[in-house]
Amino acid sequence: SATPSGIPAWKSSIDGSYQFNSIPTSGSYSISAMRDDNPMNGVSTLDLVLIQKHILGTEPFTSPYKIIASDADNDQNVSAIDLIELRKLILGIYDKLPNNTSWKFEPKSYQFDDILNPWSAPNEEQIIVAQGAMVKDFVGIKIGDVNATAAAHSLMNTEVRGSGSGLILEVKDRTFKSGERVEVSFTSPNFKGVSGFQGTMSIGNKQLAIDKIEPGSLHVSENNFGRRWENEGLITMSWNGNQSQDLDDQAVLFTMNFTAQRDGRLSEVLRIGSQHTIAESYEGKGELGNVSIRFIGQHGQEVTAQSELYQNYPNPFDQRTVIGFNLAELGR
């Protein structure tokens, strides 16, 4: 929405255009734009990868808009605190950033003197009515979205990737009894050039309760996992490294320790989907792939998991939604 000072707010059309037809014919006004909805629009762990590279100086941003988008806590500085705030948003710990709006707008006509220090940029445009009709344009900056994947309107395109590519997490299948401590170590046969991943892990309908999470070859901690929906049997996760990594297929990435609440089998309980945090992995320059779990039996054979229909996302939804599923066998 766009608002000149003293004039009621005006909601722009779907293409971002707006106009004011009843402004008094004398005087000057300040016009500003505002939008504060759907804070997760365009935000993913890949943005954390890029922001961290900027902070470390390995791939610094050359756009002032990306720097503004990185400032999640709105303190006019890009730091590790911004990574922490954005990860909480990705994991669902936050519904919105507590100290920032979802979007910021800068006048398109503004010329930045120092692109690495863009904080003095105005958020308003001046208009003088006596000069007659004029066009004032703004640049919208989606906070947290440094790779510009946010959809500008509600008719958002949803990317659905096939299961043939992406990061595979391997788990040795086993049965468990109620009350038993269950240690689950995650390895990967294709952890090559991976810089990050995220997703929603299903741990069954109250069949497993998490005790603790231990790092392995990946420096993960409790901060990489969200337990907001643990009572629904869902754990969100988000990890990224300083750079792309290659790991051996025997390397334990991380270990999750559970206490079994009921008898069961890992291959019938553990899943990775997109119910809350969308499942995706990042390789090379940020190429997107899936994240999936493969179960390995006692003699090294792959165990086929049961078919399953996942919760739709987003939920609730506007215009469109995605319903994921896992097939036990390939089909057409």
Side-chain angles (χ1 to χ4, degrees):
S1 59
T3 309
S5 179
I7 304 296
W10 179 270
K11 189 173 183 180
S12 66
S13 63
I14 196 169
D15 65 357
S17 61
Y18 64 95
Q19 63 180 357
F20 295 96
N21 297 320
S22 57
I23 299 177
T25 56
S26 62
S28 62
Y29 299 86
S30 296
I31 187 169
S32 61
M34 188 274 290
R35 182 175 179 179
D36 192 17
D37 65 346
N38 195 7
M40 269 299 295
N41 184 3
V43 181
S44 74
T45 303
L46 180 56
D47 294 297
L48 304 189
V49 173
L50 300 175
I51 294 171
Q52 184 154 301
K53 288 180 178 180
H54 170 79
I55 293 172
L56 295 174
T58 56
E59 294 183 25
F61 294 140
T62 58
S63 165
Y65 302 123
K66 289 187 177 183
I67 295 174
I68 294 172
S70 302
D71 183 22
D73 66 346
N74 204 24
D75 68 345
Q76 298 190 353
N77 181 46
V78 180
S79 68
I81 300 298
D82 298 303
L83 298 176
I84 293 171
E85 293 292 276
L86 288 173
R87 197 181 305 278
K88 288 180 179 179
L89 185 65
I90 292 167
L91 293 174
I93 297 171
Y94 286 160
D95 286 321
K96 68 184 299 293
L97 293 170
N99 298 311
N100 214 336
T101 54
S102 182
W103 292 78
K104 284 190 174 180
F105 294 85
E106 304 291 354
K108 190 174 182 179
S109 61
Y110 182 76
Q111 298 294 317
F112 291 88
D113 295 327
D114 182 0
I115 63 172
L116 297 179
N117 187 28
W119 317 115
S120 60
N123 57 12
E124 296 181 337
E125 274 275 33
Q126 301 297 314
I127 57 174
I128 301 175
V129 179
Q131 294 179 352
M134 61 183 66
V135 176
K136 297 295 182 180
D137 201 359
F138 291 86
V139 175
I141 305 166
K142 177 64 185 64
I143 302 301
D145 176 30
V146 297
N147 62 342
T149 56
H153 53 75
S154 62
L155 300 178
M156 297 171 60
N157 293 322
T158 304
E159 180 184 6
V160 181
R161 295 178 298 277
S163 59
S165 64
L167 178 64
I168 299 172
L169 301 178
E170 277 193 351
V171 169
K172 291 182 179 178
D173 197 19
R174 57 162 290 185
T175 59
F176 50 82
K177 299 291 185 182
S178 178
E180 185 178 0
R181 184 175 182 272
V182 184
E183 183 178 280
V184 182
S185 295
F186 292 82
T187 60
S188 174
N190 68 338
F191 204 99
K192 307 298 180 186
V194 176
S195 57
F197 63 86
Q198 64 176 44
T200 306
M201 180 177 294
S202 171
I203 58 175
N205 184 17
K206 298 183 179 179
Q207 288 179 268
L208 295 172
I210 292 183
D211 295 325
K212 64 178 179 178
I213 298 166
E214 298 176 294
S217 297
L218 302 183
H219 297 293
V220 303
S221 69
E222 294 284 345
N223 294 329
N224 296 102
F225 296 83
R227 299 192 179 190
R228 177 177 178 177
W229 297 282
E230 186 173 359
N231 288 337
E232 301 174 22
L234 298 172
I235 304 295
T236 53
M237 57 184 184
S238 165
W239 171 87
N240 66 280
N242 295 337
Q243 57 187 1
S244 299
Q245 296 188 36
D246 294 342
L247 296 177
D248 184 83
D249 60 3
Q250 298 301 311
V252 175
L253 307 180
F254 59 94
T255 300
M256 301 181 74
N257 295 281
F258 302 93
T259 297
Q261 307 300 297
R262 301 204 308 265
D263 296 356
R265 177 183 291 273
L266 289 179
S267 59
E268 298 174 355
V269 173
L270 295 183
R271 298 284 187 275
I272 293 181
S274 299
Q275 295 92 324
H276 294 291
T277 300
I278 296 176
E280 55 187 33
S281 58
Y282 319 106
E283 302 175 13
K285 295 293 185 179
E287 293 84 357
L288 288 178
N290 282 316
V291 183
S292 58
I293 293 183
R294 176 188 294 171
F295 297 95
I296 303 300
Q298 191 173 23
H299 302 291
Q301 80 281 11
E302 182 178 351
V303 176
T304 302
Q306 294 180 342
S307 296
E308 186 173 5
L309 183 67
Y310 300 139
Q311 172 68 47
N312 68 301
Y313 69 92
N315 182 27
F317 64 92
D318 178 21
Q319 302 292 335
R320 61 181 67 190
T321 189
V322 172
I323 301 175
F325 56 88
N326 181 69
L327 294 179
E329 297 180 5
L330 293 177
R332 296 186 179 183

